[in-house]
Amino acid sequence: MTVARRELIDDKVVGVYHCRSRCVRGAFLCGQPETGGNFDHRRGWISERLEMLSAHLAVDVLTFAVMSNHQHLVLRNRPDLVAKWPDDEVARRWLLIFPRRRGPGGGGATPNDDEIADIVRDPSRVRRIRGRLSSISQFMQVHSQHIARRANREDGTKGHFWESRFKSRRLLDDQGVLVCMTYVDLNWVRTGLVTSLLETQDTGAHLRVMSAEARKKLACLRDKSNSSRPVLPEQERAKEEELATVRRAKWLVGFGRGGGHGGRGTAMPIAGVSEEEYLQVLDWTGRQMRPDKRGAIAPGVVGLLEGLSINAEEWAGSVAGYGSLFRRVVGRFENIKKE
Protein backbone atom coordinates (compact mmCIF):
# COMPACT_ATOMS: atom_id res chain seq x y z
CA MET A 1 0.00 0.00 0.00
CA THR A 2 1.38 3.42 -1.02
CA VAL A 3 1.93 5.80 1.88
CA ALA A 4 1.99 9.58 1.47
CA ARG A 5 5.50 10.97 1.65
CA ARG A 6 4.48 13.47 4.36
CA GLU A 7 3.68 10.52 6.64
CA LEU A 8 7.12 9.02 6.12
CA ILE A 9 9.27 12.16 6.22
CA ASP A 10 8.80 15.15 8.54
CA ASP A 11 10.58 18.07 6.85
CA LYS A 12 10.12 20.32 9.88
CA VAL A 13 12.15 18.14 12.26
CA VAL A 14 15.78 16.99 11.96
CA GLY A 15 15.76 13.32 11.05
CA VAL A 16 17.87 10.62 9.41
CA TYR A 17 16.49 8.62 6.48
CA HIS A 18 17.58 5.66 4.38
CA CYS A 19 16.57 6.40 0.78
CA ARG A 20 16.67 3.88 -2.08
CA SER A 21 16.13 4.20 -5.82
CA ARG A 22 16.15 1.44 -8.44
CA CYS A 23 16.46 1.74 -12.21
CA VAL A 24 13.38 0.98 -14.30
CA ARG A 25 13.03 -2.67 -15.37
CA GLY A 26 16.28 -3.50 -13.59
CA ALA A 27 18.28 -1.58 -16.20
CA PHE A 28 21.91 -0.85 -15.48
CA LEU A 29 22.85 2.31 -13.64
CA CYS A 30 26.50 1.24 -13.51
CA GLY A 31 28.49 -1.89 -14.23
CA GLN A 32 28.74 -3.90 -17.42
CA PRO A 33 25.50 -5.41 -18.80
CA GLU A 34 25.54 -8.65 -20.73
CA THR A 35 24.32 -6.83 -23.85
CA GLY A 36 27.59 -4.95 -24.07
CA GLY A 37 28.81 -1.53 -23.04
CA ASN A 38 30.21 -0.30 -19.78
CA PHE A 39 28.59 2.25 -17.49
CA ASP A 40 31.16 2.27 -14.69
CA HIS A 41 31.86 5.96 -15.32
CA ARG A 42 28.34 6.74 -14.09
CA ARG A 43 29.39 5.85 -10.57
CA GLY A 44 31.33 9.09 -10.44
CA TRP A 45 28.21 11.00 -11.44
CA ILE A 46 26.47 9.89 -8.25
CA SER A 47 29.18 10.94 -5.78
CA GLU A 48 29.87 14.20 -7.65
CA ARG A 49 26.19 15.12 -7.57
CA LEU A 50 25.84 14.21 -3.89
CA GLU A 51 28.86 16.31 -2.99
CA MET A 52 27.51 19.33 -4.89
CA LEU A 53 24.01 19.09 -3.44
CA SER A 54 25.23 18.59 0.13
CA ALA A 55 27.28 21.79 -0.25
CA HIS A 56 24.29 23.93 -1.29
CA LEU A 57 21.27 22.27 0.34
CA ALA A 58 20.63 21.83 4.06
CA VAL A 59 20.83 18.04 3.80
CA ASP A 60 23.77 15.98 5.14
CA VAL A 61 25.02 12.81 3.47
CA LEU A 62 26.05 10.22 6.08
CA THR A 63 26.94 7.49 3.60
CA PHE A 64 25.91 6.04 0.25
CA ALA A 65 26.33 2.99 -1.99
CA VAL A 66 26.10 2.81 -5.78
CA MET A 67 25.21 -0.64 -7.08
CA SER A 68 24.75 -1.90 -10.65
CA ASN A 69 21.06 -0.95 -10.89
CA HIS A 70 20.19 0.96 -7.70
CA GLN A 71 21.50 3.42 -5.12
CA HIS A 72 21.33 3.70 -1.34
CA LEU A 73 21.64 7.06 0.44
CA VAL A 74 21.60 7.81 4.16
CA LEU A 75 20.55 11.45 4.53
CA ARG A 76 19.81 13.87 7.37
CA ASN A 77 17.59 16.90 6.79
CA ARG A 78 18.64 20.15 8.51
CA PRO A 79 15.70 22.54 8.95
CA ASP A 80 17.56 23.87 12.00
CA LEU A 81 20.42 24.96 9.77
CA VAL A 82 18.43 26.57 6.97
CA ALA A 83 16.37 28.51 9.52
CA LYS A 84 19.52 30.51 10.37
CA TRP A 85 20.32 31.49 6.79
CA PRO A 86 19.44 35.08 5.79
CA ASP A 87 17.01 35.54 2.90
CA ASP A 88 19.72 36.41 0.37
CA GLU A 89 21.64 33.24 1.27
CA VAL A 90 18.48 31.18 0.77
CA ALA A 91 18.00 32.75 -2.66
CA ARG A 92 21.66 32.33 -3.63
CA ARG A 93 21.71 28.63 -2.77
CA TRP A 94 18.45 28.01 -4.62
CA LEU A 95 19.81 29.68 -7.75
CA LEU A 96 22.96 27.56 -7.57
CA ILE A 97 20.74 24.48 -7.84
CA PHE A 98 18.27 26.02 -10.33
CA PRO A 99 20.32 28.59 -12.27
CA ARG A 100 18.55 31.07 -14.52
CA ARG A 101 21.46 31.39 -16.93
CA ARG A 102 24.12 29.17 -18.44
CA GLY A 103 27.79 29.92 -18.05
CA PRO A 104 30.46 29.80 -20.79
CA GLY A 105 31.04 26.06 -20.25
CA GLY A 106 27.34 25.22 -20.46
CA GLY A 107 26.88 24.79 -16.72
CA GLY A 108 24.84 27.03 -14.45
CA ALA A 109 26.07 30.59 -14.09
CA THR A 110 26.73 32.06 -10.65
CA PRO A 111 23.63 34.02 -9.58
CA ASN A 112 23.95 37.79 -9.73
CA ASP A 113 22.59 40.41 -7.33
CA ASP A 114 19.51 41.14 -9.46
CA GLU A 115 18.47 37.46 -9.58
CA ILE A 116 18.91 37.13 -5.82
CA ALA A 117 17.00 40.35 -5.15
CA ASP A 118 14.12 39.18 -7.37
CA ILE A 119 13.55 36.25 -5.01
CA VAL A 120 14.20 38.13 -1.77
CA ARG A 121 11.54 40.75 -2.49
CA ASP A 122 8.87 38.02 -2.31
CA PRO A 123 8.74 36.80 1.34
CA SER A 124 6.27 34.00 0.63
CA ARG A 125 8.55 32.62 -2.08
CA VAL A 126 11.57 32.80 0.24
CA ARG A 127 9.58 30.89 2.85
CA ARG A 128 8.73 28.11 0.37
CA ILE A 129 12.31 27.88 -0.87
CA ARG A 130 13.66 27.79 2.68
CA GLY A 131 11.55 24.70 3.36
CA ARG A 132 12.66 23.02 0.16
CA LEU A 133 16.36 23.56 0.84
CA SER A 134 16.16 21.13 3.80
CA SER A 135 13.66 18.73 2.21
CA ILE A 136 14.70 15.11 1.69
CA SER A 137 12.18 14.81 -1.14
CA GLN A 138 13.59 17.90 -2.88
CA PHE A 139 17.13 16.56 -2.48
CA MET A 140 16.18 13.19 -3.98
CA GLN A 141 14.28 14.87 -6.81
CA VAL A 142 17.10 17.14 -8.01
CA HIS A 143 19.65 14.36 -7.52
CA SER A 144 17.74 11.63 -9.33
CA GLN A 145 16.49 13.86 -12.15
CA HIS A 146 20.03 14.99 -12.90
CA ILE A 147 21.32 11.41 -13.12
CA ALA A 148 18.31 10.30 -15.20
CA ARG A 149 18.67 13.09 -17.73
CA ARG A 150 22.39 12.55 -18.05
CA ALA A 151 22.01 8.79 -18.53
CA ASN A 152 19.15 9.17 -21.03
CA ARG A 153 21.18 11.70 -22.99
CA GLU A 154 24.11 9.29 -23.09
CA ASP A 155 21.83 6.41 -24.14
CA GLY A 156 20.04 8.51 -26.74
CA THR A 157 16.64 7.75 -25.23
CA LYS A 158 13.77 9.36 -23.32
CA GLY A 159 11.36 8.36 -20.59
CA HIS A 160 11.67 7.05 -17.04
CA PHE A 161 15.11 6.05 -15.81
CA TRP A 162 14.13 5.27 -12.21
CA GLU A 163 11.58 2.56 -11.46
CA SER A 164 9.32 4.71 -9.25
CA ARG A 165 9.54 7.32 -6.53
CA PHE A 166 12.31 6.67 -4.04
CA LYS A 167 11.67 4.42 -1.04
CA SER A 168 12.57 5.61 2.44
CA ARG A 169 12.95 4.40 6.02
CA ARG A 170 13.29 6.69 9.03
CA LEU A 171 16.15 5.90 11.40
CA LEU A 172 14.88 6.49 14.92
CA ASP A 173 18.00 6.31 17.09
CA ASP A 174 21.75 5.62 17.28
CA GLN A 175 21.18 1.91 16.85
CA GLY A 176 19.03 2.46 13.79
CA VAL A 177 21.61 4.72 12.17
CA LEU A 178 24.45 2.27 12.88
CA VAL A 179 22.69 -0.82 11.52
CA CYS A 180 21.50 1.07 8.42
CA MET A 181 24.89 2.59 7.63
CA THR A 182 26.57 -0.78 8.12
CA TYR A 183 24.05 -2.43 5.79
CA VAL A 184 24.55 0.25 3.13
CA ASP A 185 28.34 0.36 3.37
CA LEU A 186 28.57 -3.45 3.16
CA ASN A 187 26.28 -3.86 0.15
CA TRP A 188 29.18 -4.83 -2.07
CA VAL A 189 30.31 -7.47 0.45
CA ARG A 190 26.81 -8.73 1.23
CA THR A 191 25.98 -9.31 -2.43
CA GLY A 192 29.25 -11.16 -3.03
CA LEU A 193 30.76 -8.60 -5.43
CA VAL A 194 33.86 -8.28 -3.22
CA THR A 195 35.29 -10.28 -0.35
CA SER A 196 36.49 -7.56 2.01
CA LEU A 197 35.85 -3.97 3.07
CA LEU A 198 39.05 -2.81 1.34
CA GLU A 199 37.68 -3.97 -2.01
CA THR A 200 34.39 -2.07 -1.76
CA GLN A 201 33.77 0.65 -4.34
CA ASP A 202 31.46 3.62 -4.65
CA THR A 203 30.41 3.73 -1.01
CA GLY A 204 30.88 6.12 1.85
CA ALA A 205 32.96 3.42 3.54
CA HIS A 206 35.33 3.30 0.57
CA LEU A 207 35.95 7.05 0.83
CA ARG A 208 36.47 6.79 4.59
CA VAL A 209 38.89 3.85 4.33
CA MET A 210 40.94 5.56 1.61
CA SER A 211 40.98 8.79 3.63
CA ALA A 212 42.13 6.96 6.77
CA GLU A 213 44.95 5.26 4.85
CA ALA A 214 45.95 8.60 3.32
CA ARG A 215 46.12 10.24 6.76
CA LYS A 216 48.50 7.49 7.94
CA LYS A 217 50.75 8.04 4.92
CA LEU A 218 50.69 11.80 5.50
CA ALA A 219 51.83 11.26 9.08
CA CYS A 220 54.82 9.25 7.79
CA LEU A 221 55.61 11.92 5.22
CA ARG A 222 55.48 14.61 7.91
CA ASP A 223 57.91 12.62 10.05
CA LYS A 224 60.31 12.47 7.11
CA SER A 225 59.94 16.19 6.38
CA ASN A 226 60.71 16.99 10.03
CA SER A 227 64.03 15.15 9.81
CA SER A 228 67.29 16.81 8.77
CA ARG A 229 67.11 15.22 5.33
CA PRO A 230 65.94 17.44 2.44
CA VAL A 231 62.39 16.89 1.17
CA LEU A 232 62.50 15.22 -2.23
CA PRO A 233 60.18 16.26 -5.11
CA GLU A 234 58.56 12.82 -5.16
CA GLN A 235 57.73 13.20 -1.46
CA GLU A 236 56.01 16.52 -2.18
CA ARG A 237 54.02 14.90 -4.98
CA ALA A 238 53.06 12.01 -2.71
CA LYS A 239 51.91 14.49 -0.05
CA GLU A 240 49.66 16.31 -2.53
CA GLU A 241 48.16 13.00 -3.71
CA GLU A 242 47.36 11.90 -0.16
CA LEU A 243 45.88 15.31 0.70
CA ALA A 244 43.63 15.03 -2.36
CA THR A 245 42.46 11.60 -1.16
CA VAL A 246 41.63 13.01 2.28
CA ARG A 247 39.68 15.91 0.73
CA ARG A 248 37.56 13.51 -1.36
CA ALA A 249 35.84 12.28 1.81
CA LYS A 250 35.36 15.68 3.44
CA TRP A 251 31.82 16.19 2.14
CA LEU A 252 30.52 13.20 4.12
CA VAL A 253 29.37 13.85 7.68
CA GLY A 254 32.29 13.16 9.98
CA PHE A 255 32.48 11.29 13.26
CA GLY A 256 32.96 13.46 16.35
CA ARG A 257 32.23 17.13 16.94
CA GLY A 258 32.91 19.47 14.05
CA GLY A 259 32.35 16.77 11.43
CA GLY A 260 30.49 17.35 8.23
CA HIS A 261 30.76 19.23 4.99
CA GLY A 262 31.01 22.99 4.75
CA GLY A 263 31.96 23.66 8.37
CA ARG A 264 28.47 22.97 9.65
CA GLY A 265 29.87 21.90 13.01
CA THR A 266 27.70 18.80 13.20
CA ALA A 267 28.64 15.20 13.78
CA MET A 268 27.43 11.73 12.98
CA PRO A 269 24.27 10.95 15.00
CA ILE A 270 25.89 7.95 16.70
CA ALA A 271 26.98 9.07 20.15
CA GLY A 272 30.55 8.34 21.17
CA VAL A 273 31.59 6.36 18.06
CA SER A 274 34.77 7.36 16.24
CA GLU A 275 35.47 6.75 12.56
CA GLU A 276 38.13 4.19 13.46
CA GLU A 277 35.64 2.27 15.62
CA TYR A 278 32.99 2.40 12.90
CA LEU A 279 35.41 0.99 10.34
CA GLN A 280 36.29 -1.79 12.80
CA VAL A 281 32.61 -2.68 13.08
CA LEU A 282 32.31 -2.69 9.30
CA ASP A 283 35.36 -4.90 8.86
CA TRP A 284 34.25 -7.47 11.43
CA THR A 285 30.63 -7.51 10.23
CA GLY A 286 31.76 -7.95 6.63
CA ARG A 287 33.84 -10.96 7.64
CA GLN A 288 30.79 -12.62 9.17
CA MET A 289 29.13 -12.51 5.75
CA ARG A 290 31.97 -14.59 4.26
CA PRO A 291 32.09 -18.27 5.34
CA ASP A 292 35.86 -18.36 4.78
CA LYS A 293 36.63 -15.31 6.92
CA ARG A 294 34.50 -15.60 10.05
CA GLY A 295 36.21 -15.22 13.37
CA ALA A 296 35.58 -14.38 17.00
CA ILE A 297 34.10 -10.97 17.57
CA ALA A 298 36.76 -8.41 18.43
CA PRO A 299 36.66 -7.05 22.02
CA GLY A 300 36.55 -3.47 20.74
CA VAL A 301 33.52 -4.25 18.59
CA VAL A 302 31.76 -5.90 21.54
CA GLY A 303 32.35 -2.85 23.73
CA LEU A 304 31.10 -0.44 21.08
CA LEU A 305 27.92 -2.41 20.38
CA GLU A 306 27.15 -2.98 24.04
CA GLY A 307 27.70 0.74 24.68
CA LEU A 308 24.84 1.33 22.25
CA SER A 309 22.70 -1.37 23.94
CA ILE A 310 23.12 -3.70 20.94
CA ASN A 311 23.39 -7.46 21.39
CA ALA A 312 26.75 -8.31 19.83
CA GLU A 313 25.76 -11.93 19.16
CA GLU A 314 22.73 -10.82 17.11
CA TRP A 315 24.39 -7.89 15.37
CA ALA A 316 25.56 -9.56 12.14
CA GLY A 317 22.15 -11.17 11.66
CA SER A 318 20.44 -7.79 12.05
CA VAL A 319 22.62 -6.30 9.33
CA ALA A 320 22.19 -9.27 6.97
CA GLY A 321 18.41 -9.32 7.53
CA TYR A 322 17.98 -5.54 7.53
CA GLY A 323 15.64 -5.50 4.52
CA SER A 324 13.19 -7.98 6.01
CA LEU A 325 13.47 -6.90 9.65
CA PHE A 326 12.71 -3.22 9.12
CA ARG A 327 10.02 -1.58 7.03
CA ARG A 328 9.23 2.11 7.41
CA VAL A 329 11.29 2.78 10.54
CA VAL A 330 14.56 1.40 11.92
CA GLY A 331 15.71 1.38 15.54
CA ARG A 332 15.36 -0.24 18.93
CA PHE A 333 12.22 -2.30 19.45
CA GLU A 334 10.80 0.00 22.11
CA ASN A 335 11.22 3.03 19.83
CA ILE A 336 9.60 1.24 16.89
CA LYS A 337 6.59 0.39 19.07
CA LYS A 338 6.02 4.09 19.72
CA GLU A 339 5.61 4.83 16.03
Side-chain angles (χ1 to χ4, degrees), residues 24-251:
V24 66
R25 296 186 303 277
F28 278 81
L29 166 63
C30 304
Q32 188 169 358
E34 296 177 0
T35 54
N38 192 308
F39 301 109
D40 278 343
H41 59 281
R42 292 179 180 175
R43 299 184 188 282
W45 298 357
I46 301 286
S47 57
E48 288 170 6
R49 185 64 174 174
L50 292 176
E51 180 176 3
M52 189 277 282
L53 291 177
S54 68
H56 299 319
L57 299 179
V59 175
D60 296 331
V61 180
L62 277 60
T63 196
F64 69 98
V66 184
M67 309 304 289
S68 63
N69 61 5
H70 64 282
Q71 61 177 348
H72 293 270
L73 311 177
V74 182
L75 307 174
R76 175 172 58 190
N77 62 326
R78 298 297 309 279
D80 60 321
L81 181 67
V82 76
K84 300 175 183 177
W85 291 343
D87 291 352
D88 59 342
E89 180 67 7
V90 169
R92 186 187 72 84
R93 288 175 179 264
W94 185 254
L95 290 167
L96 286 169
I97 302 298
F98 298 102
R100 293 184 176 180
R101 295 171 292 110
R102 292 294 172 186
T110 302
N112 58 39
D113 292 343
D114 290 340
E115 292 168 338
I116 293 173
D118 182 53
I119 293 177
V120 171
R121 68 171 60 100
D122 185 346
S124 63
R125 187 179 182 190
V126 172
R127 189 163 52 252
R128 289 194 302 272
I129 290 175
R130 191 182 295 276
R132 290 176 182 175
L133 286 176
S134 62
S135 166
I136 296 291
S137 295
Q138 184 73 67
F139 185 101
M140 290 298 295
Q141 179 183 13
V142 295
H143 168 64
S144 298
Q145 283 182 353
H146 174 84
I147 301 301
R149 288 170 180 165
R150 196 169 177 180
N152 282 349
R153 187 164 56 246
E154 183 179 72
D155 294 339
T157 188
K158 297 181 180 179
H160 292 291
F161 181 76
W162 301 104
E163 189 173 65
S164 61
R165 66 175 190 168
F166 72 94
K167 305 295 192 299
S168 65
R169 292 184 176 100
R170 184 155 57 96
L171 312 181
L172 300 176
D173 46 38
D174 290 6
Q175 295 86 340
V177 173
L178 183 61
V179 71
C180 176
M181 286 186 60
T182 303
Y183 170 81
V184 170
D185 277 331
L186 289 178
N187 250 255
W188 281 71
V189 176
R190 186 181 57 81
T191 54
L193 294 173
V194 299
T195 60
S196 71
L197 182 61
L198 289 174
E199 297 175 273
T200 58
Q201 301 178 44
D202 306 296
T203 66
H206 176 73
L207 291 181
R208 294 186 195 279
V209 169
M210 297 303 294
S211 179
E213 291 298 316
R215 290 196 297 271
K216 292 178 183 178
K217 293 178 183 178
L218 281 171
C220 293
L221 289 171
R222 280 194 293 268
D223 290 341
K224 291 180 180 179
S225 64
N226 291 334
S227 67
S228 57
R229 297 178 182 178
V231 178
L232 301 176
E234 54 266 32
Q235 291 176 332
E236 285 295 335
R237 287 194 296 271
K239 181 179 178 181
E240 287 302 316
E241 291 175 359
E242 301 307 334
L243 284 171
T245 301
V246 171
R247 285 194 291 267
R248 279 197 287 273
K250 284 289 187 180
W251 58 275

